[in-house]
Each structure stands twice: as C-alpha cells, then as structure tokens.
C-alpha cells in the first residue's frame, strides 16, 4: 500500500530557512508513514509565455492540494492577529475537496485575547467591538469561526500549543501531534 | 430561467449595521439579475444537542457556498495587512468547488506597500524581509499570491479601488463593478 500524501501548508515558506523547514516536516511525515508534499518542492522556472511566477506557484500548490490525501495546516498567527491568508485559502480548498484537514497553532490564545492586545476594544451588551464598531468573534476559537469550525466538523479540532515566542514559526511539536492524530485516525478507519 | 445565486462574502458581517449592508448588497444583486445570498440570512437558533452556535453558522455558510452559482468576495484588508480570514477560507472553498469567484478590495495598494507601512522591513538582494527574517511577497498583488492568482486564473482578476478611508468597509462601488463583470461574462457564455 502506498503511503498517504499530506500537503504541508503554512507560513514557514517565508522563513529564510524555508527549504530546511520543509525537509524537517517531510522527515516527520515519513516517521508516521506519510509522504509530505511541501510547496517549495515545486520547481518553478522562468515563466513561459506570459505566465507570471506567482500564478505558476499558485497552479503548482493547487495541484498539490488536489493530489494530496489530506493536509496539515500551520495556523499560527502571522503578521497580525490571524493565520497566514495563503494557508487559510488552502484550508478552504482542502475542506471543499472533502479531504481530511488537521490544523495547529503555536499560539494558545483565543482570537479575542489576541485582538484585545492588538486593538482598542470595548464590550457592550456582551459584544466586543473595535474602534470602528466592528465586532470581534467571541467563541473561544483560535481564529475566525470558519477555520476552527471547519476543522472541528472534520473530526480534528484545531490543536493549540504555546511555543516559545522565538520559535513560534519553527516549533514542530504541535505539527507532529497532528501527524500522530492522523495516523491513529487512519489506522482506526475501515 | 431562474436567477443565478451569488454568495456574498466579506467582513461587513462584523459591522454594527451588518443586516442593512446585506440588504444593500442584495438589492444591487437584483439590479444585475442575480439573487444574493448573505451569511446573515441564515437563521441560527439556539444550538440544539451539543452543537455550538459557531459551528451552526459554519454549516449554514458552507451550505450557502455549495448552493451558490458563484461568489463575490470582499477582500478589503481587515484588522491588519490582509483580507478577513473567514472570507479567504470561503474563497478557497468556492474555487475548489469549481465555481466562478470575483473579488474586490477597497484598498488600492499592494500587499508589500501595506506591509511596509505596518512593519519594519528591509530589502536585501531584492527580497523584502521583516524583522523576523520572514520574506514578503513582491508580486504586485493585493494580498497573498494564492488569493490574487486564484481570481486571475478564474478569469476575474481582483478589482482594487481606493475608497475613502472612512468608507473602506462600506463602499459598494467595487462590489457593483464585480456584479457588472459577472453579468457581462455570463451573458457572453454559451
């Protein structure tokens, strides 16, 4: 039986040592019997005939998502209160394709707690709002409800772990815990 | 022939006058021959049997996306340099379902320009990085490449328009321009 393939989504593609991070993640996948697919595995050459590099990267990533049996999504907050939008887009696609998705965050806080630290909020009649009057979700979730609920509905609630701040985008303990969960779930499935 | 249904995604659901915004968007849809589906149209009651409200909202929104013929996504930056993550999740789902998606932003700037204003960046060998060494995409795109490229590949490149700051989350000119585009495209289709 071939190893299940797992799409490895996350903002670590922006790290200076992104290729090494991909190799570390893929080695952990192998440990649990999976084949990791990392976006930077795609070789994007000079753009032929009018195509731009960003669109070729998009095509390659999307093809990987379509090819993968499941995905693990690094939803650690990235330059703001929420997850990396590229990763969130890919999570939406994976869910809509009906494939299992696991997600983790190396920040243990709720979205509301993070938003309270970053913005001036006030609470009236139980609703938190920012200075523009925009409400802040208060469901105890790590991020926007579409993210947390999609993962929970799929049977793998978002895993949160407070990694040391300096290792927030590099720590792989929660990532490995997702692989363990996936291995157990697939072993239990008929 | 029944009117095509269009899912109306965006952070305006967080506005104090969210229901009115939905009504305004739906009236514009009707003007162009479409039936608008707005997330707050879903009546979410008290959560039965262990289900939480956030998960019921998720279910209802996801069902709307599955039902819609296409979607219009408000990708105006929301509490940070990028789009609302809920909207981005929904865009990924719509694209993966193979349905037409149109997107707009009421901010005309590139992601890089916005990120430069919000963070300390430096440029070495043509690569912009933040203080943690994380690179910033420089494709002239409005947001993460997955967002802009997905829309462009679908034939409807992201529409940007500099709305007055105080109307950034309320202005509907770019939204209406998306509806016009959709109407023209569907009229031209066989």
């Amino acid at each position: 039986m071939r190893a299940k393939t797992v799409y490895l989504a996350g903002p670590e593609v922006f790290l200076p040592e992104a290729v090494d991070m991909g190799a570390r993640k893929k080695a952990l996948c192998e440990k649990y019997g999976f084949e990791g697919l990392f976006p930077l595995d795609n070789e994007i050459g000079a753009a032929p005939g009018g195509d731009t590099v960003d669109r070729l990267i998009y095509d390659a990533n999307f093809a990987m998502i379509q090819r993968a049996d499941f995905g693990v999504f690094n939803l650690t907050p990235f330059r703001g209160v929420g997850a990396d939008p590229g990763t969130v887009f890919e999570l939406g696609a994976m869910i809509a394709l009906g494939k299992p998705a696991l997600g983790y965050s190396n920040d243990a806080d709720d979205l509301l707690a993070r938003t309270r630290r970053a913005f001036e909020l006030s609470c009236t009649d139980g609703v938190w709002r920012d200075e523009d009057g925009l409400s802040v979700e208060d469901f105890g979730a790590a991020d926007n409800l579409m993210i947390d609920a999609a993962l929970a509905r799929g049977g793998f609630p978002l895993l949160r772990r407070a990694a040391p701040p300096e290792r927030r985008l590099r720590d792989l303990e929660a990532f490995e815990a997702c692989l363990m969960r996936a291995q157990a779930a697939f072993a239990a499935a008929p």
Side-chain angles (χ1 to χ4, degrees), chain A:
Chain A
M1 201 176 74
R2 75 163 178 80
K4 278 191 195 288
T5 52
V6 49
Y7 184 69
L8 305 174
E12 53 268 14
V13 293
F14 301 117
L15 288 168
E17 75 277 25
V19 172
D20 285 348
M21 278 297 296
R24 284 175 57 203
K25 281 195 149 182
K26 287 165 73 172
L28 283 170
C29 290
E30 212 181 311
K31 177 175 165 188
Y32 292 94
F34 302 124
E35 181 195 348
L37 307 177
F38 191 64
L40 299 184
D41 295 345
N42 294 311
E43 303 249 351
I44 308 294
D51 264 335
T52 51
V53 171
D54 51 334
R55 293 188 191 174
L56 295 172
I57 295 173
Y58 167 79
D59 293 346
N61 290 356
F62 201 83
M64 263 191 173
I65 292 166
Q66 289 179 301
R67 179 186 153 209
D69 294 309
F70 71 109
V72 177
F73 297 80
N74 178 359
L75 297 161
T76 306
F78 176 73
R79 283 195 200 125
V81 295
D84 164 51
T87 304
V88 173
F89 175 95
E90 293 173 342
L91 175 63
M94 186 71 75
I95 296 281
L97 292 172
K99 300 184 182 189
L102 297 94
Y104 67 94
S105 174
N106 284 337
D107 182 311
D109 286 339
D110 290 356
L111 174 67
L112 177 59
R114 267 197 313 280
T115 309
R116 286 185 69 178
R117 280 199 298 273
F119 297 90
E120 280 290 328
L121 304 187
S122 59
C123 187
T124 308
D125 298 330
V127 179
W128 288 93
R129 295 194 180 273
D130 64 21
E131 289 177 298
D132 297 322
L134 293 153
S135 63
V136 184
E137 292 181 0
D138 184 15
F139 296 114
D143 209 315
N144 184 286
L145 75 86
M146 295 303 289
I147 295 171
D148 285 66
L151 293 167
R153 283 295 194 221
F156 300 106
L158 203 162
L159 203 66
R160 299 191 224 175
R161 182 178 171 275
E166 73 281 5
R167 296 180 53 208
R168 253 168 48 116
L169 282 170
R170 293 170 168 93
D171 193 280
L172 294 180
E173 276 195 40
F175 170 72
E176 185 166 0
C178 285
L179 294 177
M180 275 187 243
R181 272 192 191 181
Q183 189 190 46
F186 295 146

